Amino acid sequence: MHLVLLGPPGAGKGTQAKRLAEKLDLPHISTGDILRNNVKLGTELGKQAKGIMEKGLLVPDDLMAKMLDERFSNPDIKKGFILDGYPRTLPQADCLDRILKDKGLNLDLVIYLDSSDEVIIKRLTGRLVCSKCGANYHVTNMPPKVQGVCDSCQGSLYQRSDDNETTVRKRLEVYKQQVSSLIEHYKNSGKLHTLNADLGAQIVLEQIIELSAKV
Ligand code: AMP
Protein backbone atom coordinates (compact mmCIF):
# COMPACT_ATOMS: atom_id res chain seq x y z
CA MET A 1 0.00 0.00 0.00
CA HIS A 2 1.44 3.35 -1.10
CA LEU A 3 -0.86 5.94 0.35
CA VAL A 4 -0.78 9.73 0.56
CA LEU A 5 -2.91 11.70 2.99
CA LEU A 6 -3.64 15.25 1.87
CA GLY A 7 -5.56 17.90 3.76
CA PRO A 8 -5.31 21.03 5.84
CA PRO A 9 -3.42 21.10 9.12
CA GLY A 10 -5.73 19.64 11.75
CA ALA A 11 -7.77 17.49 9.36
CA GLY A 12 -6.49 14.44 11.22
CA LYS A 13 -3.77 13.27 8.80
CA GLY A 14 -1.42 12.40 11.65
CA THR A 15 -4.05 10.60 13.70
CA GLN A 16 -5.28 8.57 10.73
CA ALA A 17 -1.79 7.82 9.46
CA LYS A 18 -0.71 6.52 12.86
CA ARG A 19 -3.74 4.24 13.22
CA LEU A 20 -3.48 2.97 9.66
CA ALA A 21 0.25 2.37 9.95
CA GLU A 22 -0.38 0.25 13.00
CA LYS A 23 -3.26 -1.64 11.44
CA LEU A 24 -1.54 -2.30 8.12
CA ASP A 25 1.97 -2.61 9.62
CA LEU A 26 3.41 0.06 7.36
CA PRO A 27 5.87 2.89 7.96
CA HIS A 28 4.22 6.22 8.75
CA ILE A 29 6.20 8.99 7.11
CA SER A 30 5.32 12.37 8.57
CA THR A 31 7.43 15.19 7.18
CA GLY A 32 6.34 17.40 10.10
CA ASP A 33 7.61 14.77 12.58
CA ILE A 34 10.92 14.41 10.73
CA LEU A 35 11.37 18.20 10.76
CA ARG A 36 10.45 18.49 14.46
CA ASN A 37 12.95 15.77 15.24
CA ASN A 38 15.64 17.67 13.34
CA VAL A 39 14.76 20.82 15.26
CA LYS A 40 15.03 18.90 18.53
CA LEU A 41 18.40 17.42 17.58
CA GLY A 42 19.68 20.81 16.37
CA THR A 43 20.75 19.51 12.94
CA GLU A 44 21.52 21.90 10.08
CA LEU A 45 18.09 21.15 8.57
CA GLY A 46 16.47 21.70 11.96
CA LYS A 47 18.18 25.09 12.33
CA GLN A 48 16.96 26.15 8.89
CA ALA A 49 13.42 24.88 9.47
CA LYS A 50 12.76 26.06 13.04
CA GLY A 51 11.83 29.71 12.39
CA ILE A 52 9.86 28.84 9.26
CA MET A 53 7.77 26.27 11.14
CA GLU A 54 7.12 28.65 14.03
CA LYS A 55 5.72 31.19 11.56
CA GLY A 56 3.43 28.56 9.99
CA LEU A 57 5.20 28.82 6.62
CA LEU A 58 6.48 26.06 4.36
CA VAL A 59 10.04 24.78 4.45
CA PRO A 60 11.53 25.31 0.93
CA ASP A 61 10.87 22.56 -1.60
CA ASP A 62 14.58 21.84 -2.18
CA LEU A 63 15.19 21.09 1.50
CA MET A 64 12.07 18.95 1.59
CA ALA A 65 13.16 17.07 -1.55
CA LYS A 66 16.50 16.17 0.04
CA MET A 67 14.78 15.06 3.21
CA LEU A 68 12.25 12.92 1.35
CA ASP A 69 14.92 11.35 -0.83
CA GLU A 70 16.81 10.33 2.30
CA ARG A 71 13.69 8.93 3.94
CA PHE A 72 12.80 6.92 0.85
CA SER A 73 16.26 5.38 0.73
CA ASN A 74 15.38 3.54 3.95
CA PRO A 75 14.61 -0.07 2.97
CA ASP A 76 11.52 -0.15 5.21
CA ILE A 77 9.50 1.52 2.45
CA LYS A 78 9.65 -1.77 0.51
CA LYS A 79 6.68 -2.80 2.67
CA GLY A 80 4.74 0.26 1.53
CA PHE A 81 4.11 3.59 3.28
CA ILE A 82 1.64 6.12 4.54
CA LEU A 83 2.79 9.59 3.69
CA ASP A 84 1.45 12.38 5.88
CA GLY A 85 2.20 16.06 5.25
CA TYR A 86 3.87 15.62 1.88
CA PRO A 87 3.33 16.77 -0.84
CA ARG A 88 2.16 20.26 0.07
CA THR A 89 3.04 22.00 -3.21
CA LEU A 90 2.96 21.05 -6.88
CA PRO A 91 6.79 20.85 -7.14
CA GLN A 92 6.68 18.49 -4.15
CA ALA A 93 4.10 16.30 -5.91
CA ASP A 94 6.41 16.20 -8.96
CA CYS A 95 9.33 15.33 -6.70
CA LEU A 96 7.39 12.48 -5.11
CA ASP A 97 6.43 11.17 -8.57
CA ARG A 98 10.12 11.21 -9.54
CA ILE A 99 11.27 9.40 -6.41
CA LEU A 100 8.58 6.73 -6.82
CA LYS A 101 9.35 6.31 -10.51
CA ASP A 102 13.05 5.80 -9.73
CA LYS A 103 12.08 3.04 -7.34
CA GLY A 104 9.55 1.49 -9.71
CA LEU A 105 6.67 2.28 -7.35
CA ASN A 106 3.20 3.73 -7.92
CA LEU A 107 0.80 5.47 -5.60
CA ASP A 108 -2.25 3.35 -4.82
CA LEU A 109 -4.41 5.91 -3.03
CA VAL A 110 -4.47 9.64 -2.42
CA ILE A 111 -6.92 10.57 0.30
CA TYR A 112 -7.95 14.15 0.72
CA LEU A 113 -9.21 14.83 4.24
CA ASP A 114 -11.39 17.88 3.87
CA SER A 115 -12.22 19.89 6.97
CA SER A 116 -13.76 23.26 7.81
CA ASP A 117 -11.73 26.15 9.27
CA GLU A 118 -13.89 26.29 12.37
CA VAL A 119 -13.30 22.62 13.23
CA ILE A 120 -9.57 22.90 12.44
CA ILE A 121 -9.01 25.87 14.72
CA LYS A 122 -10.80 24.17 17.60
CA ARG A 123 -8.89 20.93 17.05
CA LEU A 124 -5.44 22.44 16.77
CA THR A 125 -5.60 25.01 19.54
CA GLY A 126 -6.68 22.21 21.93
CA ARG A 127 -4.32 19.54 20.61
CA LEU A 128 -1.84 17.81 22.90
CA VAL A 129 0.94 15.58 21.59
CA CYS A 130 2.87 12.86 23.40
CA SER A 131 6.57 13.74 23.55
CA LYS A 132 7.49 10.05 23.48
CA CYS A 133 5.23 8.23 20.98
CA GLY A 134 3.63 11.17 19.15
CA ALA A 135 0.03 10.16 19.96
CA ASN A 136 -2.47 13.01 19.68
CA TYR A 137 -5.01 14.08 22.29
CA HIS A 138 -7.38 17.01 22.68
CA VAL A 139 -8.03 18.91 25.89
CA THR A 140 -11.80 18.45 25.60
CA ASN A 141 -12.63 16.11 22.66
CA MET A 142 -10.08 13.39 23.40
CA PRO A 143 -8.50 14.01 26.81
CA PRO A 144 -5.95 11.57 28.24
CA LYS A 145 -7.04 9.50 31.25
CA VAL A 146 -4.49 11.28 33.43
CA GLN A 147 -3.91 14.96 32.73
CA GLY A 148 -0.62 15.60 30.92
CA VAL A 149 0.23 11.88 30.56
CA CYS A 150 -0.05 9.67 27.45
CA ASP A 151 -2.49 6.75 27.91
CA SER A 152 -0.41 4.31 25.88
CA CYS A 153 3.24 5.04 26.78
CA GLN A 154 3.04 7.37 29.83
CA GLY A 155 5.10 10.00 27.99
CA SER A 156 4.43 13.64 28.88
CA LEU A 157 2.02 15.63 26.70
CA TYR A 158 2.85 19.05 25.28
CA GLN A 159 1.29 21.66 23.02
CA ARG A 160 3.11 22.23 19.71
CA SER A 161 4.54 25.73 19.43
CA ASP A 162 2.75 26.20 16.08
CA ASP A 163 -0.66 25.19 17.50
CA ASN A 164 -1.62 28.70 18.62
CA GLU A 165 -4.48 30.49 16.85
CA THR A 166 -2.33 33.05 14.98
CA THR A 167 0.00 30.39 13.54
CA VAL A 168 -2.87 28.00 12.81
CA ARG A 169 -4.60 30.72 10.75
CA LYS A 170 -1.34 31.36 8.87
CA ARG A 171 -0.88 27.62 8.22
CA LEU A 172 -4.42 27.45 6.86
CA GLU A 173 -3.83 30.43 4.59
CA VAL A 174 -0.60 28.87 3.24
CA TYR A 175 -2.37 25.56 2.75
CA LYS A 176 -5.22 27.13 0.77
CA GLN A 177 -2.78 28.79 -1.63
CA GLN A 178 -1.41 25.39 -2.65
CA VAL A 179 -4.22 22.88 -2.37
CA SER A 180 -6.05 23.38 -5.68
CA SER A 181 -2.93 22.69 -7.75
CA LEU A 182 -2.33 19.51 -5.75
CA ILE A 183 -5.90 18.33 -6.24
CA GLU A 184 -5.57 19.09 -9.94
CA HIS A 185 -2.35 17.04 -10.04
CA TYR A 186 -4.04 13.93 -8.62
CA LYS A 187 -7.56 14.43 -10.01
CA ASN A 188 -7.04 12.58 -13.26
CA SER A 189 -5.24 9.63 -11.72
CA GLY A 190 -8.48 8.05 -10.48
CA LYS A 191 -6.73 7.50 -7.15
CA LEU A 192 -7.95 10.63 -5.38
CA HIS A 193 -10.78 10.28 -2.86
CA THR A 194 -12.21 13.07 -0.74
CA LEU A 195 -13.52 12.36 2.75
CA ASN A 196 -15.31 14.65 5.16
CA ALA A 197 -12.79 14.94 7.97
CA ASP A 198 -15.12 17.00 10.18
CA LEU A 199 -16.61 13.61 11.10
CA GLY A 200 -15.19 11.63 14.01
CA ALA A 201 -11.75 10.02 13.68
CA GLN A 202 -13.16 6.47 13.90
CA ILE A 203 -15.67 7.03 11.08
CA VAL A 204 -12.98 8.51 8.85
CA LEU A 205 -10.62 5.63 9.66
CA GLU A 206 -13.26 3.07 8.66
CA GLN A 207 -13.81 4.91 5.37
CA ILE A 208 -10.08 4.89 4.63
CA ILE A 209 -9.83 1.18 5.44
CA GLU A 210 -12.75 0.50 3.11
CA LEU A 211 -11.03 2.40 0.31
CA SER A 212 -7.69 0.68 0.90
CA ALA A 213 -9.34 -2.74 0.82
CA LYS A 214 -10.44 -2.01 -2.77
CA VAL A 215 -6.89 -1.28 -3.98
P1 AMP B 1 2.73 19.21 10.18
O1 AMP B 1 3.25 18.44 11.35
O2 AMP B 1 2.50 18.35 8.96
O3 AMP B 1 1.55 20.09 10.52
O4 AMP B 1 3.92 20.21 9.75
C1 AMP B 1 4.39 21.19 10.63
C2 AMP B 1 5.21 22.22 9.87
O5 AMP B 1 6.34 21.58 9.26
C3 AMP B 1 4.48 22.89 8.73
O6 AMP B 1 3.68 24.00 9.15
C4 AMP B 1 5.65 23.33 7.85
O7 AMP B 1 6.31 24.48 8.40
C5 AMP B 1 6.61 22.16 7.98
N1 AMP B 1 6.36 21.12 6.95
C6 AMP B 1 5.92 19.86 7.14
N2 AMP B 1 5.80 19.20 5.98
C7 AMP B 1 6.17 20.08 5.02
C8 AMP B 1 6.23 20.03 3.60
N3 AMP B 1 5.87 18.94 2.93
N4 AMP B 1 6.67 21.13 2.95
C9 AMP B 1 7.05 22.24 3.61
N5 AMP B 1 6.99 22.37 4.94
C10 AMP B 1 6.55 21.31 5.65
Side-chain angles (χ1 to χ4, degrees), residues 30-47 49-50 53 67 71 131-132 158:
S30 155
T31 48
D33 283 352
I34 301 175
L35 287 169
R36 277 184 290 281
N37 199 33
N38 274 274
V39 171
K40 204 160 121 191
L41 297 173
T43 66
E44 198 43 50
L45 171 62
K47 283 181 198 153
K50 189 170 186 283
M53 293 169 77
M67 195 181 104
R71 181 60 187 87
S131 53
K132 216 161 135 190
Y158 73 100

mmCIF file of all heavy atoms in Angstrom, residues 30-47 49-50 53 67 71 131-132 158:
data_model
loop_
_atom_site.group_PDB
_atom_site.id
_atom_site.type_symbol
_atom_site.label_atom_id
_atom_site.label_comp_id
_atom_site.label_asym_id
_atom_site.label_seq_id
_atom_site.Cartn_x
_atom_site.Cartn_y
_atom_site.Cartn_z
ATOM 1 N N SER A 30 5.861 11.030 8.338
ATOM 2 C CA SER A 30 5.316 12.367 8.572
ATOM 3 C C SER A 30 6.449 13.372 8.416
ATOM 4 O O SER A 30 7.400 13.367 9.198
ATOM 5 C CB SER A 30 4.737 12.449 9.988
ATOM 6 O OG SER A 30 4.735 13.798 10.430
ATOM 7 N N THR A 31 6.342 14.231 7.399
ATOM 8 C CA THR A 31 7.433 15.193 7.180
ATOM 9 C C THR A 31 7.497 16.189 8.342
ATOM 10 O O THR A 31 8.578 16.627 8.721
ATOM 11 C CB THR A 31 7.281 15.915 5.822
ATOM 12 O OG1 THR A 31 5.935 16.384 5.700
ATOM 13 C CG2 THR A 31 7.622 15.001 4.679
ATOM 14 N N GLY A 32 6.338 16.497 8.933
ATOM 15 C CA GLY A 32 6.340 17.395 10.101
ATOM 16 C C GLY A 32 7.111 16.764 11.258
ATOM 17 O O GLY A 32 7.918 17.424 11.915
ATOM 18 N N ASP A 33 6.898 15.462 11.501
ATOM 19 C CA ASP A 33 7.613 14.771 12.584
ATOM 20 C C ASP A 33 9.112 14.741 12.307
ATOM 21 O O ASP A 33 9.923 14.943 13.217
ATOM 22 C CB ASP A 33 7.119 13.316 12.737
ATOM 23 C CG ASP A 33 5.775 13.230 13.450
ATOM 24 O OD1 ASP A 33 5.305 14.269 13.966
ATOM 25 O OD2 ASP A 33 5.192 12.130 13.482
ATOM 26 N N ILE A 34 9.481 14.478 11.063
ATOM 27 C CA ILE A 34 10.920 14.413 10.732
ATOM 28 C C ILE A 34 11.552 15.791 10.975
ATOM 29 O O ILE A 34 12.629 15.907 11.567
ATOM 30 C CB ILE A 34 11.158 13.957 9.270
ATOM 31 C CG1 ILE A 34 10.536 12.573 9.033
ATOM 32 C CG2 ILE A 34 12.654 13.928 8.945
ATOM 33 C CD1 ILE A 34 10.618 12.083 7.590
ATOM 34 N N LEU A 35 10.837 16.836 10.553
ATOM 35 C CA LEU A 35 11.368 18.195 10.760
ATOM 36 C C LEU A 35 11.482 18.515 12.247
ATOM 37 O O LEU A 35 12.497 19.038 12.710
ATOM 38 C CB LEU A 35 10.471 19.228 10.068
ATOM 39 C CG LEU A 35 10.570 19.271 8.541
ATOM 40 C CD1 LEU A 35 9.449 20.125 7.961
ATOM 41 C CD2 LEU A 35 11.916 19.825 8.097
ATOM 42 N N ARG A 36 10.422 18.209 13.007
ATOM 43 C CA ARG A 36 10.452 18.492 14.457
ATOM 44 C C ARG A 36 11.596 17.740 15.133
ATOM 45 O O ARG A 36 12.258 18.272 16.010
ATOM 46 C CB ARG A 36 9.111 18.148 15.112
ATOM 47 C CG ARG A 36 8.075 19.270 14.983
ATOM 48 C CD ARG A 36 6.792 18.946 15.725
ATOM 49 N NE ARG A 36 6.051 17.880 15.085
ATOM 50 C CZ ARG A 36 5.279 18.030 14.008
ATOM 51 N NH1 ARG A 36 5.097 19.218 13.477
ATOM 52 N NH2 ARG A 36 4.653 16.997 13.473
ATOM 53 N N ASN A 37 11.850 16.535 14.682
ATOM 54 C CA ASN A 37 12.951 15.769 15.244
ATOM 55 C C ASN A 37 14.291 16.433 14.924
ATOM 56 O O ASN A 37 15.189 16.504 15.772
ATOM 57 C CB ASN A 37 12.898 14.334 14.675
ATOM 58 C CG ASN A 37 13.687 13.390 15.529
ATOM 59 O OD1 ASN A 37 13.753 13.564 16.743
ATOM 60 N ND2 ASN A 37 14.315 12.409 14.914
ATOM 61 N N ASN A 38 14.414 16.956 13.708
ATOM 62 C CA ASN A 38 15.640 17.669 13.336
ATOM 63 C C ASN A 38 15.823 18.939 14.160
ATOM 64 O O ASN A 38 16.934 19.289 14.541
ATOM 65 C CB ASN A 38 15.623 18.011 11.843
ATOM 66 C CG ASN A 38 16.148 16.867 11.001
ATOM 67 O OD1 ASN A 38 17.350 16.738 10.788
ATOM 68 N ND2 ASN A 38 15.248 15.997 10.562
ATOM 69 N N VAL A 39 14.698 19.609 14.430
ATOM 70 C CA VAL A 39 14.761 20.821 15.264
ATOM 71 C C VAL A 39 15.254 20.434 16.660
ATOM 72 O O VAL A 39 16.145 21.054 17.227
ATOM 73 C CB VAL A 39 13.385 21.519 15.333
ATOM 74 C CG1 VAL A 39 13.383 22.640 16.365
ATOM 75 C CG2 VAL A 39 12.980 22.064 13.964
ATOM 76 N N LYS A 40 14.683 19.359 17.183
ATOM 77 C CA LYS A 40 15.028 18.901 18.526
ATOM 78 C C LYS A 40 16.509 18.525 18.616
ATOM 79 O O LYS A 40 17.191 18.846 19.591
ATOM 80 C CB LYS A 40 14.152 17.672 18.848
ATOM 81 C CG LYS A 40 13.958 17.416 20.318
ATOM 82 C CD LYS A 40 12.739 16.543 20.531
ATOM 83 C CE LYS A 40 13.070 15.269 21.243
ATOM 84 N NZ LYS A 40 11.957 14.322 21.209
ATOM 85 N N LEU A 41 17.003 17.873 17.565
ATOM 86 C CA LEU A 41 18.395 17.418 17.576
ATOM 87 C C LEU A 41 19.372 18.542 17.208
ATOM 88 O O LEU A 41 20.585 18.368 17.303
ATOM 89 C CB LEU A 41 18.587 16.250 16.595
ATOM 90 C CG LEU A 41 17.809 14.966 16.909
ATOM 91 C CD1 LEU A 41 17.951 13.967 15.774
ATOM 92 C CD2 LEU A 41 18.296 14.351 18.222
ATOM 93 N N GLY A 42 18.824 19.672 16.740
ATOM 94 C CA GLY A 42 19.675 20.813 16.369
ATOM 95 C C GLY A 42 20.503 20.564 15.127
ATOM 96 O O GLY A 42 21.602 21.113 14.986
ATOM 97 N N THR A 43 20.008 19.751 14.194
ATOM 98 C CA THR A 43 20.746 19.506 12.937
ATOM 99 C C THR A 43 20.706 20.769 12.071
ATOM 100 O O THR A 43 19.929 21.695 12.334
ATOM 101 C CB THR A 43 20.100 18.360 12.126
ATOM 102 O OG1 THR A 43 18.796 18.811 11.718
ATOM 103 C CG2 THR A 43 19.981 17.086 12.939
ATOM 104 N N GLU A 44 21.489 20.755 10.998
ATOM 105 C CA GLU A 44 21.521 21.899 10.076
ATOM 106 C C GLU A 44 20.113 22.139 9.507
ATOM 107 O O GLU A 44 19.624 23.267 9.474
ATOM 108 C CB GLU A 44 22.528 21.599 8.956
ATOM 109 C CG GLU A 44 22.995 22.806 8.184
ATOM 110 C CD GLU A 44 23.320 24.020 9.066
ATOM 111 O OE1 GLU A 44 24.065 23.891 10.065
ATOM 112 O OE2 GLU A 44 22.778 25.090 8.747
ATOM 113 N N LEU A 45 19.454 21.038 9.088
ATOM 114 C CA LEU A 45 18.087 21.148 8.567
ATOM 115 C C LEU A 45 17.157 21.729 9.638
ATOM 116 O O LEU A 45 16.345 22.612 9.366
ATOM 117 C CB LEU A 45 17.589 19.757 8.120
ATOM 118 C CG LEU A 45 16.109 19.657 7.740
ATOM 119 C CD1 LEU A 45 15.777 20.544 6.539
ATOM 120 C CD2 LEU A 45 15.702 18.209 7.427
ATOM 121 N N GLY A 46 17.300 21.231 10.858
ATOM 122 C CA GLY A 46 16.470 21.703 11.962
ATOM 123 C C GLY A 46 16.654 23.202 12.194
ATOM 124 O O GLY A 46 15.670 23.930 12.402
ATOM 125 N N LYS A 47 17.903 23.653 12.108
ATOM 126 C CA LYS A 47 18.177 25.088 12.330
ATOM 127 C C LYS A 47 17.514 25.921 11.234
ATOM 128 O O LYS A 47 16.986 26.995 11.479
ATOM 129 C CB LYS A 47 19.684 25.346 12.332
ATOM 130 C CG LYS A 47 20.340 24.912 13.638
ATOM 131 C CD LYS A 47 21.829 25.203 13.597
ATOM 132 C CE LYS A 47 22.532 24.375 14.670
ATOM 133 N NZ LYS A 47 23.919 24.087 14.343
ATOM 134 N N ALA A 49 14.879 25.039 9.492
ATOM 135 C CA ALA A 49 13.416 24.880 9.474
ATOM 136 C C ALA A 49 12.712 25.542 10.657
ATOM 137 O O ALA A 49 11.556 25.945 10.542
ATOM 138 C CB ALA A 49 13.069 23.387 9.442
ATOM 139 N N LYS A 50 13.400 25.668 11.772
ATOM 140 C CA LYS A 50 12.756 26.063 13.035
ATOM 141 C C LYS A 50 11.903 27.340 12.908
ATOM 142 O O LYS A 50 10.699 27.333 13.177
ATOM 143 C CB LYS A 50 13.829 26.237 14.116
ATOM 144 C CG LYS A 50 13.262 26.444 15.503
ATOM 145 C CD LYS A 50 14.377 26.363 16.543
ATOM 146 C CE LYS A 50 13.833 26.412 17.950
ATOM 147 N NZ LYS A 50 13.451 27.721 18.397
ATOM 148 N N MET A 53 8.882 27.049 10.564
ATOM 149 C CA MET A 53 7.771 26.274 11.137
ATOM 150 C C MET A 53 7.029 27.097 12.184
ATOM 151 O O MET A 53 5.808 27.059 12.270
ATOM 152 C CB MET A 53 8.297 24.982 11.751
ATOM 153 C CG MET A 53 8.836 24.022 10.712
ATOM 154 S SD MET A 53 9.724 22.653 11.434
ATOM 155 C CE MET A 53 8.386 21.619 12.011
ATOM 156 N N MET A 67 15.236 15.808 2.043
ATOM 157 C CA MET A 67 14.779 15.056 3.207
ATOM 158 C C MET A 67 13.974 13.821 2.774
ATOM 159 O O MET A 67 14.141 12.727 3.303
ATOM 160 C CB MET A 67 13.896 15.997 4.037
ATOM 161 C CG MET A 67 13.618 15.539 5.418
ATOM 162 S SD MET A 67 12.543 16.779 6.191
ATOM 163 C CE MET A 67 11.026 15.873 6.106
ATOM 164 N N ARG A 71 14.649 9.812 3.259
ATOM 165 C CA ARG A 71 13.690 8.932 3.938
ATOM 166 C C ARG A 71 13.317 7.733 3.055
ATOM 167 O O ARG A 71 13.186 6.618 3.527
ATOM 168 C CB ARG A 71 12.428 9.732 4.336
ATOM 169 C CG ARG A 71 11.377 8.897 5.076
ATOM 170 C CD ARG A 71 11.953 8.313 6.358
ATOM 171 N NE ARG A 71 11.062 7.384 7.037
ATOM 172 C CZ ARG A 71 10.975 6.078 6.778
ATOM 173 N NH1 ARG A 71 11.708 5.533 5.822
ATOM 174 N NH2 ARG A 71 10.162 5.308 7.475
ATOM 175 N N SER A 131 5.167 13.460 23.897
ATOM 176 C CA SER A 131 6.568 13.736 23.550
ATOM 177 C C SER A 131 7.339 12.444 23.273
ATOM 178 O O SER A 131 8.412 12.482 22.691
ATOM 179 C CB SER A 131 7.240 14.499 24.690
ATOM 180 O OG SER A 131 7.043 13.785 25.896
ATOM 181 N N LYS A 132 6.772 11.310 23.665
ATOM 182 C CA LYS A 132 7.494 10.053 23.476
ATOM 183 C C LYS A 132 7.016 9.299 22.220
ATOM 184 O O LYS A 132 7.817 8.979 21.359
ATOM 185 C CB LYS A 132 7.263 9.174 24.715
ATOM 186 C CG LYS A 132 8.452 8.341 25.120
ATOM 187 C CD LYS A 132 8.281 7.904 26.559
ATOM 188 C CE LYS A 132 8.619 6.449 26.748
ATOM 189 N NZ LYS A 132 8.218 5.988 28.088
ATOM 190 N N TYR A 158 2.512 17.627 25.427
ATOM 191 C CA TYR A 158 2.851 19.048 25.276
ATOM 192 C C TYR A 158 2.013 19.645 24.150
ATOM 193 O O TYR A 158 1.425 18.915 23.347
ATOM 194 C CB TYR A 158 4.356 19.217 24.986
ATOM 195 C CG TYR A 158 4.760 18.800 23.591
ATOM 196 C CD1 TYR A 158 4.961 19.754 22.582
ATOM 197 C CD2 TYR A 158 4.935 17.451 23.254
ATOM 198 C CE1 TYR A 158 5.320 19.370 21.298
ATOM 199 C CE2 TYR A 158 5.295 17.070 21.973
ATOM 200 C CZ TYR A 158 5.488 18.032 20.999
ATOM 201 O OH TYR A 158 5.823 17.655 19.720
#
